[in-house]
Amino acid sequence: MGWIGLCDRIGAEFDFGGLPQLGSKTSAAAYLNRPKTPLATRGTLMLEAEIPHFTVRRRLLDFEGQTRNGAGRSCFEIIIKMHTNAQLEVTLRVDDQSWTRRLNADIREQGHTVRVSYAWDAASRAAVLGLYQPGTGHLDQVLIPAPRPIPWDDLSDLVQGRHSTTIEPGVEFIALSDQFEAMGPMPSITGHTILQTLSGPKPISKVTPQDAIQLEDGRYAQPLRLLRRMLPARGSLAPLRVCAPYFGLKRDFEVSFAAHLLMAGSDVEYLLGSEAVLARAAHLLDGRCVTHGAERTLVPYYQVVFDTVEVMQGPVGIQSMILPTASPNSLTASTTLLADLPDGLAFDHGDLPFPMARRYEMVTLNAARAA
């Protein structure tokens, strides 16, 4: 099924039958598809938060469920804290099983977004706690053995902010899936975005493994893999609209905050000292050239995997997928999109084809172009 619950600063949606892409008009359906068992034996709880600096200790989430055991104690409790040393601390208790784990954030730059995922599968006797920072290669994970199933009622209450739920204002969203969802970098291109192929222009959603895709330097390359993921349209996963006629566009297109777009021109070389740079779409958001995309609950994103990181010819140059480096049998290989790839697939994603611009450099470039 997939994503069944989503809340942000504005409101919450929940449906045991799965969230619709454009949002539900009524909450009545939420309980029509109620699971036959009271416990969630498998699922993923995801939280994303903006951390402007690490000088203040923050309690991102504090929740104690209403479901009680025979002794009258709550069956489920979760607390997520961010410490001043950029460590994330998660405490989780299910019945009499309790644990606390700490994960390290990347503190090379201040003002990061952090995405916390707890994915569990009681039948497989394994769970994974992960901390990923969108726009970086930083993914910190820890394996949790023998996880307990969690009461559905408590998960529903948590996502909908009921009872004793305390959520810090910096939290962008909380999402719940009934599947063991992948962690780390995600696809970032919406399906209608046109790529140039040897057989002509095609929406990325229609590109097949047999299509040779044109790259920014004019070469054509066969994709190793085409990836698709349905994701919550919130936080760094929300769509951004890149607007025509800016960047030489004839029509608008949408990507996520984390997509890397190619910026080129004499002004780029003059201001940044390189004939072209890659920029995160989030760093181009100015309300004019790049705006927030259409509102929705879920959005299907696509990406292309080549053996090396490439820039594809699209409406503008769009970078292909960067996959994390991991040994074949590692935790990262089994819990990220690497698990979607065939065994033995060879690729080298250690180098970018162009320098990566920083946020302030894109602000300067946008200001110069606006002037």
Side-chain angles (χ1 to χ4, degrees), residues 14 17 95 140 157 176 182 189 191 201-202 208 219 233 235 260 271 309 368:
F14 193 92
D95 290 330
D140 196 5
D157 288 344
L176 176 67
I189 306 172
K202 285 188 176 183
T208 70
R219 293 179 295 126
H260 290 174
L271 291 171
V309 181

Side-chain angles (χ1 to χ4, degrees), residues 93-231:
R93 179 178 57 79
V94 182
D95 290 330
D96 60 349
Q97 182 193 62
S98 178
W99 52 259
T100 298
R101 298 289 188 276
R102 286 194 175 191
L103 300 173
N104 294 308
D106 184 351
I107 58 173
R108 289 175 297 176
E109 294 183 18
Q110 297 291 304
H112 275 319
T113 297
V114 294
R115 186 184 306 154
V116 186
S117 297
Y118 174 66
W120 73 97
D121 189 336
S124 299
R125 298 184 61 78
V128 178
L129 176 67
L131 170 63
Y132 174 63
Q133 293 174 254
T136 76
H138 186 83
L139 173 63
D140 196 5
Q141 294 177 296
V142 61
L143 184 66
I144 309 295
R148 299 286 181 85
I150 302 174
W152 277 119
D153 285 345
D154 290 342
L155 290 170
S156 171
D157 288 344
L158 188 162
V159 173
Q160 296 183 81
R162 293 175 174 170
H163 304 302
S164 57
T165 310
T166 302
I167 303 174
E168 206 256 1
V171 173
E172 294 286 337
F173 72 86
I174 298 174
L176 176 67
S177 171
D178 61 0
Q179 302 296 313
F180 197 108
E181 300 286 350
M183 301 180 186
M186 290 289 123
S188 56
I189 306 172
T190 57
H192 294 297
T193 304
I194 301 295
L195 297 182
Q196 301 300 321
T197 74
L198 195 58
S199 56
K202 285 188 176 183
I204 189 172
S205 61
K206 303 296 184 183
V207 173
T208 70
Q210 288 71 43
D211 284 314
I213 298 173
Q214 189 172 19
L215 308 181
E216 189 61 25
D217 60 7
R219 293 179 295 126
Y220 286 86
Q222 293 284 143
L224 292 179
R225 202 72 164 179
L226 299 168
L227 301 177
R228 180 187 185 274
R229 272 290 188 279
M230 184 70 77
L231 297 168

Side-chain angles (χ1 to χ4, degrees), residues 4-59:
I4 61 174
L6 179 63
C7 76
D8 58 13
R9 298 177 181 130
I10 299 174
E13 297 181 51
F14 193 92
D15 190 336
F16 283 114
L19 293 177
Q21 187 171 330
L22 297 179
S24 55
K25 297 181 180 179
T26 174
S27 60
Y31 297 95
L32 297 179
N33 303 298
R34 191 176 186 85
K36 296 179 180 179
T37 60
L39 299 177
T41 58
R42 178 178 59 185
T44 300
L45 187 64
M46 178 191 290
L47 177 149
E48 189 170 285
E50 289 283 346
I51 310 294
H53 52 78
F54 295 110
T55 58
V56 179
R57 183 178 179 181
R58 302 168 182 274
R59 183 171 290 219

